[in-house]
Structures are given as structure tokens and as C-alpha cells.
């Protein structure tokens, strides 16, 4: 019996760009075959473990002006905040006792001295409070090599910086073309983080204005060729107080953006079986069961929000962000039920470091 095209592609050692475009365009039975194949790879290589990272949205103060983002510098409607140290430590203590075992601390991009040392001090205190037992991911955009080094020396061991799109021309349709938003600097930041032995994560938005399916195929090849340890990607969602909002009528429907995101996760899981892939909050925004659907097709990381509720309204990167009024405990029980629905278990107490990272640096986990 002749092999169908989908099975022929899935049997390959390495996908070509055309293969990836074909997979991204699958519908019906072919789509189901793809998603099931991805789940099988995940279960075989990583088991059915879902790892938690308590997500702290530390501050919405940002020096940059990305055209898609609700907290960009020029959005004067946003009231700016940072979470004071005592409240951060409270939230961390909660996560620690709830056995999340990892944290993600994220915020707007600032590189002034005061900010850099504020984060350094915070990391020291978090280490003390948690007996240095938690995995710590930072996500504060582009920083100097010295800053990355300093933060690593006080306990950060992972860093997330999305390339947003791997296609240079598209990058400049999403960002001002100036020194502060330089595509090559973004790439350099990723390379430096890797060289400093951070577990290095990146990602893209899916369904951006001007983005084509071919561009998404390029993104997946970029993750593979750059040999990243972790990926967090999800649908682009418009925000009315941003420049890209003017293109809202030219976007793929939200259901298409969501489905493309699922297929992106599935294909990536097959291409890079041992990396960590997050089920992003943006997926849940577009589909109530978005995160569990992501787990079912290859994602293995979830980020329950531990930001104190009163700051959540301030961190609206896009419209309709979920869980604005759920405190950390409510978030926890709601998520756990969702993980079980997807057939996974929550790996409480385990850091869930990227297996790919250990292989890359030649260490046994
Ligand atoms: N300032 C840091 C981290 C915070 S922004 C940085 O930019 O790296 C975190 C991520 O939110 C961004 O990388 C971007 O991919 C995502 N994001 C911003 N605006 C968005 C939107 N409108 N829709 C979907 N994701 C968005
Ligand atoms: Fe700032 Fe990050 Fe938003 Fe860009 S995406 S405006 S860097 S918070």
C-alpha cells in the first residue's frame, strides 16, 4: 500500500520547509494524524508530566515601543507599576509551598542600573527564602552580557526572549526600525544567553499582521537550527491602544490563529522531542480549553499566574487576558483539573529542566 503524504512526511528524519508548510495546512484526518503523532512523541520522550512555573508579572514599566504590545512605552493609558519586594517574596513563598518548583519572573524591558540591581537583590532574597531549590526563569528582554552574567551568578538559570518572528522583514513591520529595536541585537542576546549556559528559551507570535504560513515554517526551522532549549509561542491577539490594531480586519480569524498555534506546537514537538514547550496564556484567551489542548499536542509546561491580583489589570499585553481576578490558589486548582483532563499529571516538586539543555551541554540531568 502506498504511504499517504502525511505519513511519508512524519516518517522523515528532518522536515524541509515545504514539509512544514504542508503540515501547517493540514485539515481533517491529516490534521488529527499530525496532532496524535506529536502527543505520542511527547509521551514517549518526556512522559505525561506537566511542569509548573509560577508566573510573576513583575512590572509593566517598559522602555520599548513594540507595535503589538499593550504596555509599550507610548501607551499613556496604562498606569505603571512594579510589585514591591515584600509582595514578590510573598508570592514566591506561596509558589514554593505549593511545590511549583520553578518561577518565571517577567516584565517590561529596562536596562538602567537601578533596575538591574533591583532584580539582582530580588534574586538573592528569593534564593535565600527558597533554599535555592527553585528553578528561576527571567524574561526582561535584551540586556548587556554583564547583566545576564550578574543575574545568573545570583540564581537565574533560564531566560526567555522571544524572537517574535524569525523573518527579518516582518520583524521591522512589528517594531520601529531604530537602535532600540534591532533584530540583530535580539539574535545576539539569544546567542549570549546560550554561551552563558542559561537554559535558553525563545518563541514567536502566530497570526501576526503580514505573516504568512511560510514565515511560520521559517520560525520552526529557526528554533531547530538555533538549537533552543525551550519555546513559548502563542497566538497574536490585537490590543486597541497599539499601532498594529489598524490591521485588525486583515488578521486570520481567532479560531485559525488558535489552530495554527496548536499545529506549531505539534510540529515543533516532533522536530525537537526533548525541549520544553509552554502552553501559553494567550492560547487560553482564544479558547477556554486552550492550554489543555496544547498539552495534548506536545506542550509540557504551564505557567499559573502568581502575580498579586491588584496588579493584573496593569499587565494587559493584549485583549481579553484570562484570570484577571483569580488569586494564585484559585489559579492552581483550576489548572490542576485542566491538566488531568488532558491526561497529564502535575509534576509537583520537580523543576522540570529542559532535557535538551542537559544533552546540549553534555551533562546527565
Ligand atoms: N519585555 C519582555 C517580556 C515581556 S513581553 C520582552 O518583550 O521580551 C512577553 C511577550 O508577550 C512578548 O515576547 C510577546 O511575544 C508577547 N506579546 C506582547 N504583545 C502581544 C500580543 N498583542 N499578542 C500576543 N502576545 C503578545
Ligand atoms: Fe515592552 Fe516586551 Fe511589550 Fe515590547 S513586548 S513593549 S519589550 S513589554
Amino acid at each position: 500500500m502506498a504511504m499517504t503524504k502525511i505519513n511519508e512526511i512524519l516518517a522523515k528524519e528532518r522536515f524541509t520547509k515545504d514539509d512544514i508548510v504542508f503540515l501547517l495546512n493540514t485539515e481533517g484526518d491529516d490534521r488529527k494524524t499530525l496532532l496524535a503523532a506529536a502527543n505520542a512523541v511527547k509521551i514517549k520522550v518526556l512522559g505525561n508530566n506537566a511542569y509548573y512555573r509560577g508566573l510573576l508579572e513583575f512590572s509593566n514599566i517598559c522602555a520599548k515601543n513594540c507595535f503589538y504590545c499593550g504596555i509599550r512605552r507610548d501607551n499613556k493609558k496604562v498606569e505603571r507599576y512594579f510589585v514591591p519586594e515584600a509582595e514578590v517574596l510573598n508570592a514566591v513563598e506561596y509558589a514554593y509551598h505549593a511545590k511549583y518548583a520553578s518561577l518565571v519572573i517577567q516584565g517590561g524591558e529596562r536596562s538602567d542600573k537601578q533596575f538591574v540591581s533591583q532584580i539582582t537583590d530580588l534574586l538573592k532574597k528569593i534564593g535565600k527564602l527558597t533554599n535555592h531549590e527553585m528553578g528561576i526563569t527571567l524574561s526582561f528582554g535584551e540586556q548587556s552580557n554583564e547583566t545576564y552574567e550578574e543575574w545568573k551568578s545570583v540564581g537565574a538559570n533560564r531566560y526567555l526572549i522571544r524572537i517574535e518572528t524569525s523573518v527579518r522583514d516582518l520583524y521591522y513591520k512589528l517594531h520601529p526600525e531604530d537602535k532600540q529595536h534591532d533584530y540583530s541585537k535580539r539574535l545576539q542576546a539569544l546567542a549570549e544567553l546560550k554561551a552563558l549556559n542559561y537554559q535558553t528559551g525563545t518563541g514567536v507570535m502566530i497570526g501576526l499582521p503580514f505573516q504568512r504560513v511560510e514565515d511560520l515554517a521559517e520560525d520552526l526551522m529557526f528554533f531547530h537550527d538555533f538549537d533552543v532549549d525551550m519555546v513559548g509561542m502563542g497566538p497574536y491577539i490585537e490590543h486597541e491602544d497599539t499601532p498594529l490594531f489598524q490591521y485588525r480586519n486583515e488578521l486570520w480569524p481567532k479560531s485559525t490563529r488558535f489552530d495554527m498555534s496548536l499545529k506549531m506546537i505539534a510540529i515543533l514537538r516532533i522536530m525537537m522531542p526533548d525541549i520544553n514547550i509552554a502552553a501559553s496564556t494567550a492560547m487560553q484567551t482564544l479558547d477556554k480549553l486552550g492550554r489543555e489542548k496544547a498539552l495534548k499536542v506536545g506542550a509540557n509546561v504551564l505557567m499559573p499566574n502568581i502575580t498579586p491580583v491588584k496588579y493584573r489589570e496593569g499587565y494587559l499585553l493584549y485583549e481579553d487576558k484570562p484570570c484577571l481576578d483569580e488569586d494564585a490558589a484559585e489559579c492552581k486548582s483550576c489548572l490542576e483539573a485542566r491538566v488531568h483532563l488532558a491526561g497529564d499529571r502535575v509534576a509537583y516538586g520537580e523543576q522540570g529542566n529542559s532535557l535538551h539543555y542537559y544533552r546540549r551541554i553534555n551533562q546527565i540531568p
Side-chain angles (χ1 to χ4, degrees):
M1 203 180 82
M3 259 225 251
T4 54
K5 179 153 185 196
I6 176 88
N7 285 314
E8 212 172 280
I9 292 175
L10 290 176
K12 286 190 183 182
E13 195 65 39
R14 200 184 166 145
F15 300 151
T16 64
K17 185 171 173 186
D18 285 347
D19 293 336
I20 298 175
V21 169
F22 178 88
L23 294 173
L24 285 171
N25 284 325
T26 49
E27 284 173 21
D29 284 349
D30 281 359
R31 173 181 171 279
K32 283 194 188 138
T33 302
L34 165 67
L35 301 184
N39 194 37
V41 169
K42 170 180 142 178
I43 301 295
K44 185 172 156 217
V45 178
L46 304 171
N48 65 342
N49 299 306
Y51 298 99
Y52 273 7
R53 282 83 172 89
L55 171 65
L56 194 107
E57 296 160 340
F58 174 71
S59 172
N60 65 359
I61 304 172
C62 188
K64 286 177 88 170
N65 241 337
C66 309
F67 293 152
Y68 42 83
C69 179
I71 63 169
R72 63 199 300 274
R73 185 186 67 215
D74 285 356
N75 184 5
K76 303 294 180 211
K77 290 191 190 164
V78 176
E79 214 181 299
R80 305 289 164 167
Y81 75 87
F82 71 87
V83 183
E85 188 177 279
E87 291 178 60
V88 173
L89 295 177
N90 243 333
V92 168
E93 202 167 15
Y94 170 84
Y96 180 60
H97 289 299
K99 299 214 173 332
Y100 285 1
S102 289
L103 298 168
V104 175
I105 309 175
Q106 184 177 79
E109 184 174 313
R110 280 176 60 188
S111 47
D112 52 284
K113 266 202 178 130
Q114 194 196 345
F115 175 74
V116 171
S117 51
Q118 190 181 7
I119 298 301
T120 301
D121 291 345
L122 200 55
L123 287 169
K124 286 184 188 161
K125 291 193 175 139
I126 290 173
K128 236 183 179 171
L129 179 71
T130 62
N131 218 2
H132 305 279
E133 284 168 12
M134 297 185 88
I136 302 180
T137 309
L138 295 183
S139 180
F140 290 111
E142 292 151 46
Q143 303 288 340
S144 70
N145 198 63
E146 293 71 46
T147 298
Y148 287 149
E149 230 173 340
E150 177 171 319
W151 288 346
K152 185 141 197 290
S153 74
V154 289
N157 52 359
R158 312 172 181 144
Y159 205 99
L160 281 177
I161 179 163
R162 287 183 171 182
I163 193 70
E164 315 297 358
T165 172
S166 66
V167 178
R168 200 176 177 282
D169 288 354
L170 180 55
Y171 191 88
Y172 285 114
K173 292 183 176 143
L174 313 175
H175 301 94
E177 198 160 351
D178 61 22
K179 264 202 199 147
Q180 218 191 356
H181 302 80
D182 184 334
Y183 178 72
S184 54
K185 275 203 197 132
R186 197 94 181 151
L187 278 178
Q188 193 192 328
L190 267 171
E192 288 179 356
L193 288 162
K194 233 173 111 178
L196 287 170
N197 264 346
Y198 271 97
Q199 286 174 60
T200 306
T202 191
V204 293
M205 285 176 283
I206 297 156
L208 288 158
F210 317 111
Q211 193 178 38
R212 305 159 311 149
V213 176
E214 287 73 18
D215 300 330
L216 293 172
E218 289 285 351
D219 292 340
L220 293 175
M221 293 171 59
F222 170 80
F223 301 150
H224 183 268
D225 296 345
F226 204 85
D227 203 23
V228 296
D229 303 313
M230 349 184 261
V231 169
M233 56 185 168
Y236 162 72
I237 303 169
E238 58 273 36
H239 186 297
E240 64 176 340
D241 302 315
T242 61
L244 287 192
F245 194 65
Q246 62 186 299
Y247 304 110
R248 64 192 173 281
N249 298 322
E250 292 159 43
L251 300 170
W252 292 338
K254 285 184 175 167
S255 56
T256 306
R257 280 179 255 164
F258 179 80
D259 195 55
M260 271 301 174
S261 302
L262 277 185
K263 289 189 235 176
M264 287 286 283
I265 290 174
I267 299 166
L268 181 62
R269 174 55 72 206
I270 297 169
M271 290 171 71
M272 303 188 78
D274 60 357
I275 64 169
N276 279 343
I277 304 179
S280 69
T281 312
M283 295 200 67
Q284 193 197 349
T285 307
L286 293 194
D287 183 324
K288 280 209 176 98
L289 297 176
R291 285 188 295 193
E292 35 290 54
K293 287 181 184 172
L295 289 177
K296 273 244 177 236
V297 302
N300 68 328
V301 166
L302 290 172
M303 304 190 288
N305 203 329
I306 59 166
T307 312
V309 168
K310 63 177 171 202
Y311 301 108
R312 302 252 185 119
E313 288 280 354
Y315 204 75
L316 291 183
L317 307 180
Y318 45 81
E319 315 183 320
D320 301 327
K321 215 172 146 225
C323 303
L324 286 185
D325 54 4
E326 269 173 64
D327 67 22
E330 284 166 320
C331 248
K332 176 168 184 268
S333 51
C334 141
L335 249 189
E336 182 171 308
R338 287 155 177 272
V339 171
H340 293 157
L341 272 179
D344 281 355
R345 65 177 275 269
V346 181
Y348 286 116
E350 295 173 48
Q351 282 196 8
N353 291 302
S354 164
L355 281 187
H356 187 80
Y357 169 77
Y358 290 116
R359 289 189 185 143
R360 179 163 75 71
I361 65 166
N362 255 324
Q363 264 186 26
I364 299 168

PDB file of all heavy atoms in Angstrom, residues 59-73 107-109 141 164 175 181 186 315 317, ligand 2:
ATOM      1  N   SER A  59       6.611  43.865  36.490  1.00  0.00           N
ATOM      2  CA  SER A  59       6.414  45.292  36.222  1.00  0.00           C
ATOM      3  C   SER A  59       5.985  45.525  34.780  1.00  0.00           C
ATOM      4  O   SER A  59       6.394  44.800  33.876  1.00  0.00           O
ATOM      5  CB  SER A  59       7.735  46.046  36.466  1.00  0.00           C
ATOM      6  OG  SER A  59       7.606  47.394  36.042  1.00  0.00           O
ATOM      7  N   ASN A  60       5.150  46.561  34.587  1.00  0.00           N
ATOM      8  CA  ASN A  60       4.748  46.907  33.212  1.00  0.00           C
ATOM      9  C   ASN A  60       5.474  48.169  32.738  1.00  0.00           C
ATOM     10  O   ASN A  60       5.076  48.774  31.753  1.00  0.00           O
ATOM     11  CB  ASN A  60       3.228  47.075  33.121  1.00  0.00           C
ATOM     12  CG  ASN A  60       2.732  48.253  33.945  1.00  0.00           C
ATOM     13  OD1 ASN A  60       3.507  48.943  34.604  1.00  0.00           O
ATOM     14  ND2 ASN A  60       1.432  48.493  33.911  1.00  0.00           N
ATOM     15  N   ILE A  61       6.494  48.557  33.447  1.00  0.00           N
ATOM     16  CA  ILE A  61       7.273  49.718  33.005  1.00  0.00           C
ATOM     17  C   ILE A  61       8.218  49.246  31.907  1.00  0.00           C
ATOM     18  O   ILE A  61       9.007  48.328  32.111  1.00  0.00           O
ATOM     19  CB  ILE A  61       8.068  50.333  34.180  1.00  0.00           C
ATOM     20  CG1 ILE A  61       7.110  50.686  35.325  1.00  0.00           C
ATOM     21  CG2 ILE A  61       8.870  51.547  33.714  1.00  0.00           C
ATOM     22  CD1 ILE A  61       7.797  51.116  36.605  1.00  0.00           C
ATOM     23  N   CYS A  62       8.100  49.859  30.731  1.00  0.00           N
ATOM     24  CA  CYS A  62       8.862  49.367  29.590  1.00  0.00           C
ATOM     25  C   CYS A  62       9.431  50.522  28.784  1.00  0.00           C
ATOM     26  O   CYS A  62       8.748  51.500  28.508  1.00  0.00           O
ATOM     27  CB  CYS A  62       7.995  48.495  28.687  1.00  0.00           C
ATOM     28  SG  CYS A  62       8.990  47.711  27.406  1.00  0.00           S
ATOM     29  N   ALA A  63      10.676  50.381  28.393  1.00  0.00           N
ATOM     30  CA  ALA A  63      11.345  51.429  27.617  1.00  0.00           C
ATOM     31  C   ALA A  63      11.137  51.244  26.121  1.00  0.00           C
ATOM     32  O   ALA A  63      11.529  52.093  25.325  1.00  0.00           O
ATOM     33  CB  ALA A  63      12.838  51.422  27.936  1.00  0.00           C
ATOM     34  N   LYS A  64      10.518  50.133  25.725  1.00  0.00           N
ATOM     35  CA  LYS A  64      10.392  49.844  24.296  1.00  0.00           C
ATOM     36  C   LYS A  64       8.992  50.133  23.767  1.00  0.00           C
ATOM     37  O   LYS A  64       8.064  50.406  24.515  1.00  0.00           O
ATOM     38  CB  LYS A  64      10.820  48.406  24.009  1.00  0.00           C
ATOM     39  CG  LYS A  64      12.338  48.268  24.102  1.00  0.00           C
ATOM     40  CD  LYS A  64      12.795  46.853  23.897  1.00  0.00           C
ATOM     41  CE  LYS A  64      13.020  46.547  22.439  1.00  0.00           C
ATOM     42  NZ  LYS A  64      13.688  45.227  22.300  1.00  0.00           N
ATOM     43  N   ASN A  65       8.885  50.060  22.448  1.00  0.00           N
ATOM     44  CA  ASN A  65       7.672  50.522  21.795  1.00  0.00           C
ATOM     45  C   ASN A  65       7.149  49.544  20.748  1.00  0.00           C
ATOM     46  O   ASN A  65       6.678  49.962  19.685  1.00  0.00           O
ATOM     47  CB  ASN A  65       7.978  51.863  21.118  1.00  0.00           C
ATOM     48  CG  ASN A  65       7.114  52.960  21.689  1.00  0.00           C
ATOM     49  OD1 ASN A  65       6.039  52.686  22.235  1.00  0.00           O
ATOM     50  ND2 ASN A  65       7.549  54.200  21.544  1.00  0.00           N
ATOM     51  N   CYS A  66       7.252  48.265  21.036  1.00  0.00           N
ATOM     52  CA  CYS A  66       6.802  47.235  20.093  1.00  0.00           C
ATOM     53  C   CYS A  66       5.362  47.538  19.644  1.00  0.00           C
ATOM     54  O   CYS A  66       4.511  47.868  20.479  1.00  0.00           O
ATOM     55  CB  CYS A  66       6.883  45.873  20.765  1.00  0.00           C
ATOM     56  SG  CYS A  66       8.505  45.563  21.527  1.00  0.00           S
ATOM     57  N   PHE A  67       5.110  47.425  18.342  1.00  0.00           N
ATOM     58  CA  PHE A  67       3.823  47.864  17.784  1.00  0.00           C
ATOM     59  C   PHE A  67       2.625  47.010  18.214  1.00  0.00           C
ATOM     60  O   PHE A  67       1.488  47.372  17.975  1.00  0.00           O
ATOM     61  CB  PHE A  67       3.887  47.865  16.250  1.00  0.00           C
ATOM     62  CG  PHE A  67       4.817  48.891  15.663  1.00  0.00           C
ATOM     63  CD1 PHE A  67       5.425  48.654  14.431  1.00  0.00           C
ATOM     64  CD2 PHE A  67       5.061  50.095  16.315  1.00  0.00           C
ATOM     65  CE1 PHE A  67       6.273  49.607  13.861  1.00  0.00           C
ATOM     66  CE2 PHE A  67       5.902  51.051  15.758  1.00  0.00           C
ATOM     67  CZ  PHE A  67       6.519  50.811  14.530  1.00  0.00           C
ATOM     68  N   TYR A  68       2.885  45.830  18.764  1.00  0.00           N
ATOM     69  CA  TYR A  68       1.793  44.897  19.082  1.00  0.00           C
ATOM     70  C   TYR A  68       1.392  44.921  20.545  1.00  0.00           C
ATOM     71  O   TYR A  68       0.361  44.387  20.916  1.00  0.00           O
ATOM     72  CB  TYR A  68       2.222  43.457  18.715  1.00  0.00           C
ATOM     73  CG  TYR A  68       3.652  43.141  19.105  1.00  0.00           C
ATOM     74  CD1 TYR A  68       3.973  42.739  20.401  1.00  0.00           C
ATOM     75  CD2 TYR A  68       4.691  43.286  18.184  1.00  0.00           C
ATOM     76  CE1 TYR A  68       5.289  42.488  20.761  1.00  0.00           C
ATOM     77  CE2 TYR A  68       6.016  43.028  18.535  1.00  0.00           C
ATOM     78  CZ  TYR A  68       6.303  42.638  19.827  1.00  0.00           C
ATOM     79  OH  TYR A  68       7.601  42.400  20.184  1.00  0.00           O
ATOM     80  N   CYS A  69       2.211  45.539  21.405  1.00  0.00           N
ATOM     81  CA  CYS A  69       2.105  45.273  22.840  1.00  0.00           C
ATOM     82  C   CYS A  69       1.370  46.370  23.599  1.00  0.00           C
ATOM     83  O   CYS A  69       1.681  47.558  23.463  1.00  0.00           O
ATOM     84  CB  CYS A  69       3.496  45.086  23.418  1.00  0.00           C
ATOM     85  SG  CYS A  69       3.492  44.766  25.195  1.00  0.00           S
ATOM     86  N   GLY A  70       0.426  45.967  24.431  1.00  0.00           N
ATOM     87  CA  GLY A  70      -0.406  46.901  25.189  1.00  0.00           C
ATOM     88  C   GLY A  70       0.345  47.722  26.221  1.00  0.00           C
ATOM     89  O   GLY A  70      -0.133  48.779  26.641  1.00  0.00           O
ATOM     90  N   ILE A  71       1.521  47.263  26.666  1.00  0.00           N
ATOM     91  CA  ILE A  71       2.239  48.047  27.685  1.00  0.00           C
ATOM     92  C   ILE A  71       3.436  48.782  27.086  1.00  0.00           C
ATOM     93  O   ILE A  71       4.352  49.194  27.804  1.00  0.00           O
ATOM     94  CB  ILE A  71       2.657  47.187  28.905  1.00  0.00           C
ATOM     95  CG1 ILE A  71       3.641  46.073  28.525  1.00  0.00           C
ATOM     96  CG2 ILE A  71       1.428  46.580  29.574  1.00  0.00           C
ATOM     97  CD1 ILE A  71       4.271  45.377  29.746  1.00  0.00           C
ATOM     98  N   ARG A  72       3.442  48.964  25.773  1.00  0.00           N
ATOM     99  CA  ARG A  72       4.517  49.710  25.102  1.00  0.00           C
ATOM    100  C   ARG A  72       4.636  51.106  25.711  1.00  0.00           C
ATOM    101  O   ARG A  72       3.674  51.671  26.229  1.00  0.00           O
ATOM    102  CB  ARG A  72       4.257  49.784  23.588  1.00  0.00           C
ATOM    103  CG  ARG A  72       2.979  50.531  23.232  1.00  0.00           C
ATOM    104  CD  ARG A  72       2.527  50.197  21.823  1.00  0.00           C
ATOM    105  NE  ARG A  72       3.532  50.555  20.834  1.00  0.00           N
ATOM    106  CZ  ARG A  72       3.658  51.746  20.285  1.00  0.00           C
ATOM    107  NH1 ARG A  72       2.822  52.724  20.611  1.00  0.00           N
ATOM    108  NH2 ARG A  72       4.587  51.979  19.398  1.00  0.00           N
ATOM    109  N   ARG A  73       5.825  51.667  25.602  1.00  0.00           N
ATOM    110  CA  ARG A  73       6.130  52.941  26.259  1.00  0.00           C
ATOM    111  C   ARG A  73       5.118  54.039  25.946  1.00  0.00           C
ATOM    112  O   ARG A  73       4.665  54.772  26.820  1.00  0.00           O
ATOM    113  CB  ARG A  73       7.529  53.389  25.834  1.00  0.00           C
ATOM    114  CG  ARG A  73       8.020  54.634  26.522  1.00  0.00           C
ATOM    115  CD  ARG A  73       9.349  55.085  25.935  1.00  0.00           C
ATOM    116  NE  ARG A  73       9.186  55.534  24.549  1.00  0.00           N
ATOM    117  CZ  ARG A  73      10.085  55.353  23.589  1.00  0.00           C
ATOM    118  NH1 ARG A  73      11.199  54.712  23.842  1.00  0.00           N
ATOM    119  NH2 ARG A  73       9.855  55.782  22.363  1.00  0.00           N
ATOM    120  N   GLY A 107       8.708  40.941  32.785  1.00  0.00           N
ATOM    121  CA  GLY A 107       8.275  42.329  32.838  1.00  0.00           C
ATOM    122  C   GLY A 107       8.747  43.115  31.637  1.00  0.00           C
ATOM    123  O   GLY A 107       9.440  42.602  30.757  1.00  0.00           O
ATOM    124  N   GLY A 108       8.382  44.389  31.638  1.00  0.00           N
ATOM    125  CA  GLY A 108       8.824  45.288  30.590  1.00  0.00           C
ATOM    126  C   GLY A 108      10.347  45.364  30.576  1.00  0.00           C
ATOM    127  O   GLY A 108      11.009  44.994  31.534  1.00  0.00           O
ATOM    128  N   GLU A 109      10.873  45.862  29.451  1.00  0.00           N
ATOM    129  CA  GLU A 109      12.330  45.907  29.309  1.00  0.00           C
ATOM    130  C   GLU A 109      12.887  47.231  29.828  1.00  0.00           C
ATOM    131  O   GLU A 109      12.490  48.308  29.389  1.00  0.00           O
ATOM    132  CB  GLU A 109      12.700  45.722  27.833  1.00  0.00           C
ATOM    133  CG  GLU A 109      14.201  45.653  27.616  1.00  0.00           C
ATOM    134  CD  GLU A 109      14.569  45.330  26.173  1.00  0.00           C
ATOM    135  OE1 GLU A 109      13.980  44.397  25.592  1.00  0.00           O
ATOM    136  OE2 GLU A 109      15.436  46.029  25.625  1.00  0.00           O
ATOM    137  N   GLY A 141      13.736  40.802  28.451  1.00  0.00           N
ATOM    138  CA  GLY A 141      14.214  41.293  27.169  1.00  0.00           C
ATOM    139  C   GLY A 141      15.724  41.391  27.046  1.00  0.00           C
ATOM    140  O   GLY A 141      16.472  40.637  27.684  1.00  0.00           O
ATOM    141  N   GLU A 164      10.050  36.718  18.372  1.00  0.00           N
ATOM    142  CA  GLU A 164       8.764  37.281  17.892  1.00  0.00           C
ATOM    143  C   GLU A 164       8.436  36.848  16.467  1.00  0.00           C
ATOM    144  O   GLU A 164       7.334  36.412  16.185  1.00  0.00           O
ATOM    145  CB  GLU A 164       8.692  38.811  18.009  1.00  0.00           C
ATOM    146  CG  GLU A 164       9.190  39.401  19.342  1.00  0.00           C
ATOM    147  CD  GLU A 164       8.406  38.989  20.576  1.00  0.00           C
ATOM    148  OE1 GLU A 164       7.415  38.255  20.477  1.00  0.00           O
ATOM    149  OE2 GLU A 164       8.804  39.406  21.689  1.00  0.00           O
ATOM    150  N   HIS A 175       8.042  46.333  14.726  1.00  0.00           N
ATOM    151  CA  HIS A 175       8.851  47.157  15.636  1.00  0.00           C
ATOM    152  C   HIS A 175       9.318  48.391  14.898  1.00  0.00           C
ATOM    153  O   HIS A 175       9.538  48.346  13.696  1.00  0.00           O
ATOM    154  CB  HIS A 175      10.089  46.371  16.105  1.00  0.00           C
ATOM    155  CG  HIS A 175       9.784  45.092  16.810  1.00  0.00           C
ATOM    156  ND1 HIS A 175       9.731  43.875  16.168  1.00  0.00           N
ATOM    157  CD2 HIS A 175       9.503  44.842  18.107  1.00  0.00           C
ATOM    158  CE1 HIS A 175       9.435  42.929  17.048  1.00  0.00           C
ATOM    159  NE2 HIS A 175       9.285  43.482  18.224  1.00  0.00           N
ATOM    160  N   HIS A 181      15.292  48.735  18.738  1.00  0.00           N
ATOM    161  CA  HIS A 181      14.536  47.559  18.295  1.00  0.00           C
ATOM    162  C   HIS A 181      15.276  46.905  17.128  1.00  0.00           C
ATOM    163  O   HIS A 181      14.787  46.852  16.015  1.00  0.00           O
ATOM    164  CB  HIS A 181      13.121  47.950  17.861  1.00  0.00           C
ATOM    165  CG  HIS A 181      12.321  48.633  18.924  1.00  0.00           C
ATOM    166  ND1 HIS A 181      12.459  49.964  19.232  1.00  0.00           N
ATOM    167  CD2 HIS A 181      11.374  48.147  19.771  1.00  0.00           C
ATOM    168  CE1 HIS A 181      11.621  50.280  20.224  1.00  0.00           C
ATOM    169  NE2 HIS A 181      10.957  49.194  20.568  1.00  0.00           N
ATOM    170  N   ARG A 186      18.612  41.325  19.027  1.00  0.00           N
ATOM    171  CA  ARG A 186      17.748  40.297  19.609  1.00  0.00           C
ATOM    172  C   ARG A 186      18.418  38.928  19.436  1.00  0.00           C
ATOM    173  O   ARG A 186      18.492  38.132  20.357  1.00  0.00           O
ATOM    174  CB  ARG A 186      16.388  40.341  18.897  1.00  0.00           C
ATOM    175  CG  ARG A 186      15.254  39.642  19.608  1.00  0.00           C
ATOM    176  CD  ARG A 186      14.471  40.605  20.453  1.00  0.00           C
ATOM    177  NE  ARG A 186      13.385  39.974  21.179  1.00  0.00           N
ATOM    178  CZ  ARG A 186      12.932  40.412  22.347  1.00  0.00           C
ATOM    179  NH1 ARG A 186      13.453  41.477  22.920  1.00  0.00           N
ATOM    180  NH2 ARG A 186      11.933  39.791  22.947  1.00  0.00           N
ATOM    181  N   TYR A 315      -1.114  44.520  33.511  1.00  0.00           N
ATOM    182  CA  TYR A 315      -0.232  43.758  32.621  1.00  0.00           C
ATOM    183  C   TYR A 315      -1.030  43.193  31.450  1.00  0.00           C
ATOM    184  O   TYR A 315      -1.026  41.993  31.182  1.00  0.00           O
ATOM    185  CB  TYR A 315       0.456  42.635  33.405  1.00  0.00           C
ATOM    186  CG  TYR A 315       1.760  42.169  32.779  1.00  0.00           C
ATOM    187  CD1 TYR A 315       2.920  42.931  32.879  1.00  0.00           C
ATOM    188  CD2 TYR A 315       1.846  40.960  32.086  1.00  0.00           C
ATOM    189  CE1 TYR A 315       4.115  42.517  32.311  1.00  0.00           C
ATOM    190  CE2 TYR A 315       3.038  40.538  31.508  1.00  0.00           C
ATOM    191  CZ  TYR A 315       4.164  41.320  31.630  1.00  0.00           C
ATOM    192  OH  TYR A 315       5.348  40.902  31.061  1.00  0.00           O
ATOM    193  N   LEU A 317      -1.048  42.785  27.931  1.00  0.00           N
ATOM    194  CA  LEU A 317      -0.278  42.848  26.691  1.00  0.00           C
ATOM    195  C   LEU A 317      -1.221  42.812  25.498  1.00  0.00           C
ATOM    196  O   LEU A 317      -0.917  43.290  24.425  1.00  0.00           O
ATOM    197  CB  LEU A 317       0.697  41.677  26.608  1.00  0.00           C
ATOM    198  CG  LEU A 317       1.631  41.464  27.813  1.00  0.00           C
ATOM    199  CD1 LEU A 317       2.531  40.275  27.579  1.00  0.00           C
ATOM    200  CD2 LEU A 317       2.459  42.698  28.073  1.00  0.00           C
TER     201      LEU A 317
HETATM  202 FE1  LIG B   2       7.999  46.092  26.212  1.00  0.00          FE
HETATM  203 FE2  LIG B   2       8.138  43.413  25.893  1.00  0.00          FE
HETATM  204 FE3  LIG B   2       5.864  44.786  25.368  1.00  0.00          FE
HETATM  205 FE4  LIG B   2       7.959  45.078  23.732  1.00  0.00          FE
HETATM  206  S1  LIG B   2       6.781  43.167  24.102  1.00  0.00           S
HETATM  207  S2  LIG B   2       6.664  46.735  24.525  1.00  0.00           S
HETATM  208  S3  LIG B   2       9.634  44.963  25.186  1.00  0.00           S
HETATM  209  S4  LIG B   2       6.849  44.525  27.344  1.00  0.00           S
END
